[in-house]
Amino acid sequence: MAETASKKVLVVEDNELNMKLFCDLLGAFGFEAVKSIDGLRAVEMAKEIHPDLIIMDIQLPEVSGLDLARWIKDDDVVGNIPILAVTAFAMRQDEEDVKAAGCEAYMTKPIQMTPFIKMVEELTSTRGSTH
């Protein structure tokens, strides 16, 4: 689908290996990945590039991914961008916290390729219909 090729995904992840994995997978499936290892710059970057999706690690060194998700969702410019939270934690409370922060979806690490790409495709296609 040609429409997928132009979809931008902002990846906010401080772990180099996870960043490479996410970006390689996104690229292989026709998405344009934009990297940010700095959670504090993620809101600013989202405003600059207007991604179709933000994939965000919840455990970031400088700021909690949950706080970051709240900041994004509270912003008039970027608040409609869907967020896929990824985390190594898999407790029921973590998923509830992620949803309460405004994230549309949640996935635990290590990610599995097929469910990951399926989720990315679902989240980016729903955004296209609301624009």
Side-chain angles (χ1 to χ4, degrees), residues 1-70:
M1 193 181 221
E3 185 185 318
T4 305
S6 62
K7 301 274 185 175
K8 273 190 222 150
V9 179
L10 175 59
V11 181
V12 185
E13 170 65 71
D14 64 310
N15 180 289
E16 205 175 304
L17 290 174
N18 287 332
M19 176 69 85
K20 180 171 176 21
L21 173 63
F22 296 157
C23 292
D24 287 353
L25 279 172
L26 291 166
F29 284 86
F31 293 92
E32 179 187 341
V34 180
K35 303 175 187 180
S36 176
I37 58 169
D38 183 354
L40 295 173
R41 279 215 60 233
V43 178
E44 184 183 321
M45 285 184 73
K47 287 180 181 182
E48 289 169 13
I49 66 168
H50 298 282
D52 296 285
L53 173 65
I54 299 170
I55 296 175
M56 185 183 331
D57 184 12
I58 293 305
Q59 298 296 118
L60 296 167
E62 29 340 83
V63 61
S64 158
L66 295 176
D67 286 339
L68 191 52
R70 287 185 197 99

Side-chain angles (χ1 to χ4, degrees), residues 67-80 83 101:
D67 286 339
L68 191 52
R70 287 185 197 99
W71 298 340
I72 290 169
K73 291 303 180 180
D74 286 345
D75 189 284
D76 292 340
V77 178
V78 293
N80 67 329
I83 300 173

Side-chain angles (χ1 to χ4, degrees), residues 70-123:
R70 287 185 197 99
W71 298 340
I72 290 169
K73 291 303 180 180
D74 286 345
D75 189 284
D76 292 340
V77 178
V78 293
N80 67 329
I81 300 170
I83 300 173
L84 168 57
V86 288
T87 181
F89 299 106
M91 305 301 285
R92 180 179 300 278
Q93 186 61 47
D94 294 313
E95 184 169 5
E96 291 169 11
D97 292 345
V98 163
K99 298 284 182 160
C103 298
E104 281 73 11
Y106 166 89
M107 198 163 267
T108 56
K109 296 177 194 173
I111 62 157
Q112 294 177 342
M113 183 183 77
T114 303
F116 174 77
I117 289 299
K118 186 173 188 270
M119 181 66 68
V120 168
E121 288 173 343
E122 283 175 21
L123 291 169

